[in-house]
Amino acid sequence: MCDGEGVTSRTPAEKPLRADAARNRKAIITAARHAFAEQGLQVPLDEIARRAGVGEATLHRRFPDRESLIAAAFNDKMTDYADAAAQALADPDPWAGFCGYVRQVCAMQSGDRGFADLLTLTFAATNPTIEDLEGHRARAYRDFVTIVRRAKTSGQLRADFHPDDMILLLMANAGVVAATAGTAPDAWQRIVEYLLQAFASENARELPAPAPRGALLRAMHRSQQTPV
């Protein structure tokens, strides 16, 4: 598994990278993080290689596909994403925990277009290199279900809020972030606060039935494969 700093955690059978190979790997990950943050996950791999000061062949030798590069670039941030849910559970005020988690995740989206893409994307193909990312996502979702249940039990979160509504919120926030990043980069905060007010039980009005989870997940895919 990648530790995000240019050196991989290895099984005993794996050989450590040569110093020059390790430097190249670290440079590629750093360049990928910056490029993904600025342009999203669609950024061409040849641009990442150029930014890293390596050839495309070197990039593909270290990362044979886009998924493995995404996993290396975002492993630490997805860990933070999952940890944010655990921290929200530790808040003694269930409503404050719920709101704090929503704000924190949306803030993470706002500063990184690639991360915004990642939160609204699931991978169609099974790939061992992304298992950690999906594991962090699953851990965050399990904790969020508990966060929602606690906030409902406290009487502060509207009773018809469904955990999958977070998928809609993230997709909406990602769209606002992408549209306003160059002109009004803080605009996402206003839409998030509007939504949090709508989630409060005191403002509850009858809503349409939620979309099926499968339909929401298909919408998150946006395509059946990540870009190559």
Side-chain angles (χ1 to χ4, degrees), residues 169-198:
L169 188 155
L170 291 174
M171 287 193 291
N173 192 53
V176 171
V177 167
T180 63
T183 55
D186 295 330
W188 65 272
Q189 296 179 14
R190 189 171 178 85
I191 189 67
V192 168
E193 292 305 317
Y194 269 132
L195 291 171
L196 286 174
Q197 290 181 30

Side-chain angles (χ1 to χ4, degrees), residues 41-42 66-67 70 121-125 223-228:
L41 297 183
Q42 299 279 353
R66 185 178 290 264
E67 288 90 345
I70 289 171
L121 175 71
T122 54
F123 296 89
S223 65
Q224 291 304 304
Q225 293 182 337
T226 53
V228 296

Side-chain angles (χ1 to χ4, degrees), residues 94-176:
W95 177 245
F98 173 85
C99 293
Y101 176 72
V102 170
R103 291 185 182 113
Q104 185 171 351
V105 172
C106 289
M108 292 172 73
Q109 276 189 307
S110 72
D112 189 329
R113 284 188 60 187
F115 189 66
D117 287 348
L118 188 62
L119 288 184
T120 57
L121 175 71
T122 54
F123 296 89
T126 301
N127 188 321
T129 64
I130 62 170
E131 288 181 356
D132 279 350
L133 292 189
E134 294 301 325
H136 293 318
R137 192 201 305 270
R139 176 163 67 94
Y141 182 78
R142 288 193 300 269
D143 283 348
F144 184 63
V145 170
T146 305
I147 291 168
V148 168
R149 184 168 62 247
R150 290 176 70 233
K152 285 184 179 181
T153 300
S154 75
Q156 296 166 292
L157 177 63
R158 57 187 303 150
D160 58 356
F161 183 92
H162 192 281
D164 288 348
D165 288 334
M166 188 68 176
I167 299 174
L168 293 175
L169 188 155
L170 291 174
M171 287 193 291
N173 192 53
V176 171

Side-chain angles (χ1 to χ4, degrees), residues 10 24 29 50 133 147 159 172 178 191:
R10 301 180 297 274
N24 286 341
I29 291 173
R50 179 186 59 77
L133 292 189
I147 291 168
I191 189 67

Side-chain angles (χ1 to χ4, degrees), residues 15-44:
K15 296 180 180 179
L17 293 175
R18 299 191 318 271
D20 59 338
R23 283 194 300 272
N24 286 341
R25 189 176 190 281
K26 183 175 182 178
I28 292 167
I29 291 173
T30 299
R33 284 174 174 165
H34 289 300
F36 288 149
E38 294 168 8
Q39 302 180 38
L41 297 183
Q42 299 279 353
V43 62

